[in-house]
Amino acid sequence: MTDTAPLSGTPTDAPWDPPLGPALLASGRCIEEEQVLDDLLADLASPAATARGRGPVGLSASAAGGPG
């Protein structure tokens, strides 16, 4: 991703992706959620995400097609 802003401050911990903070520090760049929204939504809609109960925002796992 080439169109990102310089990182300022300290990255927030990302318990779902522990290497994310160190990767942002190493790159010196930040990534806004809006820049990767399609990827985030696709990940949330994936079978693996719904199996973990992390379906699309605003939907329960069962409403998203997952177990529950």
Side-chain angles (χ1 to χ4, degrees), residues 30-59:
C30 70
I31 299 172
E32 301 293 336
E33 291 90 349
E34 294 82 1
Q35 291 177 292
V36 294
L37 183 59
D38 291 339
D39 292 328
L40 293 172
L41 292 174
D43 181 55
L44 287 172
S46 73
T50 55
R52 293 188 307 266
R54 293 172 48 193
V57 176
L59 297 177

